[in-house]
Amino acid sequence: MSFSLFDAPLREPSQFVGFAGNTIDRQSENRADDSVDKALADPTTRLLLMNGGRLHLKLHEGGSLDPWFGLAESQAFKPAFDQGVLLGFSEHGPVVAVLAGVDPEQLPETVKAIDYRSVYMQGLIDEAAAGAMAQGAALLAWHASHRFCSKCGTQSEMRAGGYKRHCPNCGTEHFPRTDPVAIMLTATREKCLLGRGAHFAPGMYSALAGFIEPGETIEAAVRRETLEEAGIRLGRVVYHASQPWPFPYSLMIGCFGEPLNEDIQADLNELEDCRWFGRDEVRLMLAREHPGNLVTPPKGAIAHHLIRAWVDSE
Ligand SMILES: [Zn+2]
């Protein structure tokens, strides 16, 4: 049995993916039912304002975008403070994510509401803020879709700074979900397997992915998804990196898989195309120099990091 902890890099691959730069000190052991109230009474508190899958950004002179709102300046955007979540503490003080109540189309010129995916893809805010956005977006999305007790149907109440919901009728406590998704690059030394979904941007090919199911190990899910989507059986599977993915609240778990057969049988319900790519071709796709304009996913995506790590592994 191999044991690789002491050979592992000091900065693990997960630290380089999008949304991984969150520096908030969660202080989860100190969360209490009055945590948000206390934060909202603290003048140093900073807020992330969200609405309908979009983050509010202040447009400063010179064009820079700033996601952080003070308590006083946030009032104009009618935040639902009673449903705010305490993300934790930054060097400036408490950080709260809250839903704004103003139609994004009615915002003043100096404030933009931009969808999370664009904020992340276009690098509109720094990595620490993008990480905080992912944390807040996932929590607010979970609360929005879990307002009632799943055991008895009674409306539940937010507790523990937004890290729990409590049912006042049956007493059940509900905790925020994180849904694990396996994303895997099947590869030999010479070639790797990439596919494209019908909804992908033109020319983009990526690693295959799928939800991990109850009762499954990560490795079993990697093997099952690769067999189901591409007809490729896998031998060895190794973990590489993970990525918080707030669409709405997943954790992407990136792995490499060793193929045992070559003949692809793509599941055309899942994939528009799936094929082998040689190392040189993938290098051109990463560099955006492919003659057929094929591309890999953008730099923040964990698929990009899987593909890059494989290309660089010669
Ligand atoms: Zn209940």
Side-chain angles (χ1 to χ4, degrees), residues 3-4 16 18 25 27-28 41 49 84 96 102 114 121 147 177-178 206 211 240 246 299 303 309:
F3 182 79
S4 57
F16 300 95
D25 178 0
Q27 296 190 19
S28 59
L49 298 179
V96 170
V102 174
I114 301 179
M121 295 271 280
R147 289 163 46 227
R177 274 172 59 167
T178 297
S206 186
F211 283 105
H240 180 64
K299 223 168 54 184

Side-chain angles (χ1 to χ4, degrees), residues 149 151-154 167 169-172 174:
C149 177
K151 203 166 176 185
C152 77
T154 303
C167 174
N169 181 49
C170 74
T172 302
H174 303 275

Side-chain angles (χ1 to χ4, degrees), residues 51-52 54 56 76-78 100-108 111 113:
N51 192 356
R54 303 202 230 177
H56 285 44
F77 305 97
K78 301 183 182 155
V102 174
D103 181 344
E105 306 303 327
Q106 306 293 323
L107 293 171
V111 174

